[in-house]
Amino acid sequence: MKLDPLQLYQLLLEHYGPQGWWPLLSCSSGDGGGYHPGNYQLPAAAGERFEAAVGAILAQNISWLQAWEALHNLERSGALVSAQALCSLSQEQLAEAIRPARFLNSKARYLRNLAEFWIQLAGAVPEREALLQITGVGPETADSILLYAFQQPEFVVDAYTRRIGAAAGWFPVESGYQAVKQQLTAALPVQTELYNEFHALLVRHGSLWYSSRPHGAGDPLLTGRPD
DNA sequence: AGCCAGGCTACCG
DNA sequence: CGGTAGCATGGC
């Protein structure tokens, strides 16, 4: 049997339940969780949108637990109050606060770039092309910000999406970002809530079965060949 | 010890 | 242009 994307989405949702992304500090139980399963209205406040965008950069190529530690450090430094507040920190302070998130000097620069962009934005919903011009914001981070901070219907593609989609026979693992995104969105209804939940579920499932090599070995849902 | 994180930029040929 | 080294932490 070969699952189509919508069928896999329904299977994953049934299997894992709602994931409650994007994790927010204000929803946190203090253990690095920060989830609000089934509530797709968050983030609603401007501060929460900024926090989610910051989190999207911190989470690049790293486990969420480490990103959460860094985010919490930033909160304690007062950097999450506003984009201006983040900019008021020195690069050294920023880098030290986000040390747990790896690539600290790079990400400290990225965060300042984001914050400066945020100030220009003045509360508007950003354009995808504008986000992509920020040094430190690539396609996945841009779509994460649009989807999870602003509830825009932009499907987020990550490494797990590629591996799982390849195992499902939808495309080759080495497919480019836009190719994967277009193929999946063509097979799904354009719904922000579905995009939100599907990506979170793919990360959940991917981290369980598509992390160590060979990718996908033992996947109880797809039983596909590893790449 | 070694592998792997919810990538992106800059530089190489 | 496409491909990849570098970024430089912490958990399992």
Side-chain angles (χ1 to χ4, degrees), chain A residues 16-112:
Chain A
Y16 296 106
Q19 299 301 297
W21 278 29
W22 189 272
L24 292 170
L25 291 169
S26 60
C27 302
S28 166
S29 48
D31 59 352
Y35 295 82
H36 44 91
N39 183 354
Y40 301 101
Q41 312 310 316
L42 297 175
E48 288 174 342
R49 295 191 202 284
F50 182 58
E51 177 192 319
V54 168
I57 285 181
L58 292 176
Q60 289 169 1
N61 204 54
I62 200 159
S63 72
W64 173 250
L65 202 58
Q66 284 173 272
W68 194 89
E69 283 300 323
L71 197 61
H72 201 257
N73 288 344
L74 287 177
E75 185 192 37
R76 284 198 295 260
S77 307
L80 295 183
V81 174
S82 65
Q84 288 87 345
L86 190 149
C87 283
S88 73
L89 295 188
S90 69
Q91 282 309 89
E92 291 71 24
Q93 288 175 305
L94 261 181
E96 200 48 48
I98 66 171
R99 174 174 292 281
R102 201 185 179 196
F103 310 141
L104 50 157
N105 293 126
S106 297
K107 285 183 179 176
R109 220 166 38 244
Y110 299 167
L111 288 180
R112 188 176 301 279

Side-chain angles (χ1 to χ4, degrees), chain A residues 34-209:
Chain A
Y35 295 82
H36 44 91
N39 183 354
Y40 301 101
Q41 312 310 316
L42 297 175
E48 288 174 342
R49 295 191 202 284
F50 182 58
E51 177 192 319
V54 168
I57 285 181
L58 292 176
Q60 289 169 1
N61 204 54
I62 200 159
S63 72
W64 173 250
L65 202 58
Q66 284 173 272
W68 194 89
E69 283 300 323
L71 197 61
H72 201 257
N73 288 344
L74 287 177
E75 185 192 37
R76 284 198 295 260
S77 307
L80 295 183
V81 174
S82 65
Q84 288 87 345
L86 190 149
C87 283
S88 73
L89 295 188
S90 69
Q91 282 309 89
E92 291 71 24
Q93 288 175 305
L94 261 181
E96 200 48 48
I98 66 171
R99 174 174 292 281
R102 201 185 179 196
F103 310 141
L104 50 157
N105 293 126
S106 297
K107 285 183 179 176
R109 220 166 38 244
Y110 299 167
L111 288 180
R112 188 176 301 279
N113 295 342
L114 174 78
E116 287 169 353
F117 174 81
W118 218 259
I119 292 169
Q120 301 300 317
L121 203 57
V125 178
E127 295 293 328
R128 187 173 192 274
E129 289 310 311
L131 284 169
L132 288 174
Q133 284 172 17
I134 302 170
T135 301
V137 176
E140 182 185 341
T141 304
D143 285 335
S144 288
I145 291 172
L146 288 168
L147 178 61
Y148 289 109
F150 291 96
Q151 291 106 21
Q152 301 299 297
E154 296 287 347
F155 193 90
V156 177
V157 175
D158 75 326
Y160 291 136
T161 308
R162 281 200 191 78
R163 292 174 192 171
I164 294 173
W170 299 337
F171 41 73
V173 271
E174 65 272 14
S175 304
Y177 190 94
Q178 285 299 329
V180 172
K181 180 175 176 177
Q182 281 167 18
Q183 200 166 146
L184 288 181
T185 52
L188 296 167
V190 182
Q191 285 178 11
T192 299
E193 297 182 0
L194 189 154
Y195 288 4
N196 175 318
E197 199 63 75
F198 199 3
H199 175 67
L201 286 165
L202 285 170
V203 171
R204 176 71 179 282
H205 188 64
S207 63
L208 287 175
W209 300 103

